[in-house]
Amino acid sequence: MSAARITAHPAFVTGAIDRRIFGSFVEHLGRAVYTGIYEPGHPAADAEGWRTDVAELTRELGTTVVRYPGGNFVSNYRWEDGVGPRESRPTRIDLAWRTIEPNAIGTDDFVRWCALTGTEPMMAVNLGTRGAAEAADLVEYCNTPGGTTLSELRRANGADAPHDIRLWCLGNEMDGPWQIGHRTADDYGRLASQAAQAMRRVDPTIELVACGSSGREMATFGEWERVVLEHVFDDVEYISVHAYYQERDGDRASFLASGASFEAFFHEVIATADAVAARRHSSKRIKLSVDEWNVWYIDDFAGETNLELAERPRLIEDVYSALDAVVVGDLLTTLVRNADRVAVACLAQLVNVIAPIMTEPGGEAWRQTTFYPVALLAQHARGVALDARLDAPRLTTAKHGEVDALSAAVVWNSEAGELVLSITNRSTESVSTALDHVGFTDVELIEAVTLVADDEGPRRTAAEVADAAPRPLEGVVAGEHSTSLTLPPESWSLVRLRASA
Ligand code: AHR
């Protein structure tokens, strides 16, 4: 068995963990909205048609912010279609997913769903087929208290108080050729800057996210960020990061080490943003909005242009394995560890579409395997991420080269007196691990759980998923200076210790 050591001290802090990193995403895509969060007539639907079983699971998942309405969808969306009396809303063809969009759900409805689930809306504006004027109009509709045509329209539509939406995405994946109205970095940067300035004149308090690359593998990655940030540096707080991972060609080792690429991606975007700052002699630090991340078997998706036109199609309904859940645990651990620069993150998506929650129309709602690490971390990774030192064996992977066999985040919640270790063992061997908690006293074990990958493949039913649920991690010994544990091969674990500092 190999060995590893992690050293953490309460004085060595990476940063406060922003609760907004436990976000998710609801796009008008497939069955995310219709028969996902909303299904009038379902036995669990409330008077408005919201599925209360899904709302309940959303709360259990610990979701904080929810990005809406897209995704690719937003790039051909007219927000005006989704407000006002339902019976007068138009039915359109959504060009992003070639889907019939009835507009039964729109901005005001979604904000009400957020209130129901205790989440914060994160709104995206269309910079594909539309521009600064429509974006500013939407801010006015949502955030202006009253006294203007658009704010009075919102009030007439039943929302007397302003929605007060803080977080706004300036378009979606505008670098991607699949995006309706995709642009060059220069075109997008100019438009995003104009839209940002117009939106801010309506509400100076909003926070703005510029589109970064759709993935680290994009040919324009790096240069896209640089050029866009040269345009919008003074206008935005955040730049987006989108990252999806899958196991390819049976290369399980590389898949398990996806977090290494995820983290390298963060560091590259941060370096680019800081280089733009340096050229301007600015101390401003642009933070990351990792507003799409997950495991997605994208190679199984036929592509946007090969779709039959349909209403509520079953699109991108990936079914996850225990292995996928370990990788999701590691990706979220990576987000927590980078608390100094990651301000927002959205697990893409929430329901039915590459999602931790699945539903059947008229039937059950259930958790996928990926639900577990997200819910556990959202509940327990509170406070600050510590700048812990990791000494672990190294692994060689075909895709990412040499990486640490372990990936860890150590979180100190001084309010609750809780020291939390989130840790992935990416290797095929058990690893005997010591967490040296220097500067902490009265350390006691509260709970230790582990989720272990297997060869069972996708788990299709609630019962199959429950079989892969985290189980107690036996043999954790909390000592005065150090806690010892043995990490099972290919596992993600969470250890909670009572402590004082
Ligand atoms: O999350 C699914 C899709 O992935 C989103 O619509 C798009 O932004 C990304 O390419």
Side-chain angles (χ1 to χ4, degrees):
M1 190 181 345
S2 50
R5 183 170 298 279
I6 300 157
T7 311
H9 188 288
F12 299 152
V13 172
T14 297
I17 299 164
D18 196 317
R19 294 294 301 156
R20 296 195 290 193
I21 71 168
F22 302 108
S24 192
F25 179 25
V26 171
E27 176 169 4
H28 284 249
L29 192 187
R31 297 190 310 113
V33 174
Y34 306 112
T35 74
I37 61 170
Y38 177 75
E39 189 178 345
H42 185 279
D46 67 9
E48 269 204 69
W50 303 120
R51 282 191 63 155
T52 56
D53 51 353
V54 173
E56 183 55 41
L57 285 170
T58 303
R59 284 189 287 266
E60 185 185 320
L61 188 65
T63 304
T64 51
V65 300
V66 184
R67 188 164 172 253
Y68 176 86
N72 297 344
F73 172 83
V74 78
S75 299
N76 74 125
Y77 182 53
R78 301 171 180 90
W79 66 264
E80 301 87 337
D81 290 350
V83 299
R86 245 180 213 130
E87 58 283 4
S88 6
R89 297 185 194 173
T91 296
R92 306 260 189 211
I93 296 176
D94 158 41
L95 308 178
W97 304 106
R98 276 186 45 82
T99 296
I100 303 291
E101 173 55 59
N103 282 302
I105 295 300
T107 304
D108 297 320
D109 312 298
F110 180 70
V111 170
R112 283 198 305 281
W113 180 82
C114 286
L116 174 74
T117 53
T119 55
E120 175 191 347
M122 175 184 194
M123 198 61 73
V125 297
N126 175 357
L127 294 188
T129 57
R130 307 186 100 188
E134 295 88 350
D137 282 353
L138 182 56
V139 178
E140 180 181 333
Y141 179 84
C142 290
N143 286 7
T144 301
T148 67
T149 301
L150 288 172
S151 57
E152 290 302 329
L153 178 63
R154 182 201 68 241
R155 296 183 68 205
N157 288 338
D160 194 39
H163 295 322
D164 197 22
I165 296 172
R166 306 282 87 231
L167 268 175
W168 294 81
C169 303
L170 296 164
N172 175 71
E173 294 191 348
M174 298 308 299
D175 62 325
W178 57 86
Q179 199 72 214
I180 303 292
H182 78 93
R183 293 167 191 275
T184 62
D186 203 43
D187 276 353
Y188 168 69
R190 199 179 304 249
L191 176 62
S193 174
Q194 289 165 354
Q197 288 176 28
M199 292 161 77
R200 271 239 165 76
R201 288 203 187 177
V202 179
D203 181 351
T205 68
I206 57 177
E207 298 168 53
L208 294 168
V209 184
C211 289
S213 294
S214 321
R216 193 180 176 213
E217 63 292 341
M218 296 296 289
T220 48
F221 168 55
E223 185 61 358
W224 172 274
E225 278 74 4
R226 184 191 70 75
V227 173
V228 168
L229 283 170
E230 295 283 3
H231 284 283
V232 300
F233 187 83
D234 296 325
D235 303 314
V236 304
E237 284 73 30
Y238 313 107
I239 183 139
S240 73
V241 167
H242 287 188
Y244 292 104
Y245 301 93
Q246 65 184 312
E247 184 182 353
R248 279 202 170 107
D249 307 322
D251 182 1
R252 190 167 166 118
S254 295
F255 179 49
L256 274 157
S258 299
S261 174
F262 199 34
E263 191 159 40
F265 190 5
F266 299 170
H267 292 166
E268 288 159 355
V269 176
I270 290 164
T272 307
D274 292 352
V276 174
R279 279 161 48 86
R280 306 164 85 94
H281 304 279
S282 169
S283 59
K284 177 174 175 177
R285 288 294 171 259
I286 299 282
K287 290 195 169 185
L288 305 186
S289 173
V290 187
D291 45 47
E292 289 188 32
W293 69 271
N294 205 347
V295 168
W296 177 7
Y297 287 86
I298 198 166
D299 293 352
D300 298 342
F301 175 54
E304 297 84 359
T305 48
N306 297 324
L307 300 169
E308 289 292 323
L309 196 61
E311 202 171 333
R312 301 184 297 275
R314 288 185 185 262
L315 284 184
I316 321 184
E317 299 198 359
D318 288 25
V319 180
Y320 292 115
S321 65
L323 172 64
D324 298 327
V326 169
V327 172
V328 164
D330 190 34
L331 296 174
L332 191 47
T333 299
T334 307
L335 287 162
V336 171
R337 182 166 62 232
N338 286 276
D340 54 335
R341 295 301 286 269
V342 177
V344 181
C346 303
L347 175 69
Q349 300 196 3
L350 181 69
V351 190
N352 290 329
V353 178
I354 39 173
I357 301 169
M358 296 299 288
T359 67
E360 259 312 304
E364 302 266 282
W366 66 98
R367 301 164 191 80
Q368 293 231 54
T369 55
T370 53
F371 186 99
Y372 297 118
V374 176
L376 280 163
L377 278 166
Q379 191 180 350
H380 299 298
R382 290 169 189 269
V384 294
L386 296 181
D387 185 8
R389 159 91 200 192
L390 170 71
D391 293 298
R394 303 277 288 168
L395 278 181
T396 303
T397 65
K399 198 162 169 200
H400 318 295
E402 223 187 82
V403 300
D404 283 323
L406 303 187
S407 151
V410 183
V411 174
W412 172 230
N413 180 347
S414 57
E415 238 169 70
E418 218 175 292
L419 186 61
V420 175
L421 171 67
S422 174
I423 188 160
T424 314
N425 179 2
R426 298 163 169 166
S427 77
T428 51
E429 278 182 43
S430 297
V431 180
S432 159
T433 306
L435 169 63
D436 291 348
H437 22 70
V438 185
F440 290 95
T441 56
D442 309 317
V443 178
E444 276 171 34
L445 179 65
I446 304 173
E447 180 194 24
V449 292
T450 190
L451 200 160
V452 182
D454 56 27
D455 296 321
E456 296 289 306
R459 295 186 174 246
R460 298 194 176 276
T461 64
E464 283 174 10
V465 173
D467 217 38
R471 52 177 163 75
L473 177 64
E474 307 294 349
V476 179
V477 180
E480 201 184 330
H481 304 296
S482 188
T483 290
S484 62
L485 54 151
T486 300
L487 299 170
E490 301 184 334
S491 62
W492 169 81
S493 307
L494 188 83
V495 179
R496 294 169 56 214
L497 301 165
R498 174 95 43 237
S500 307

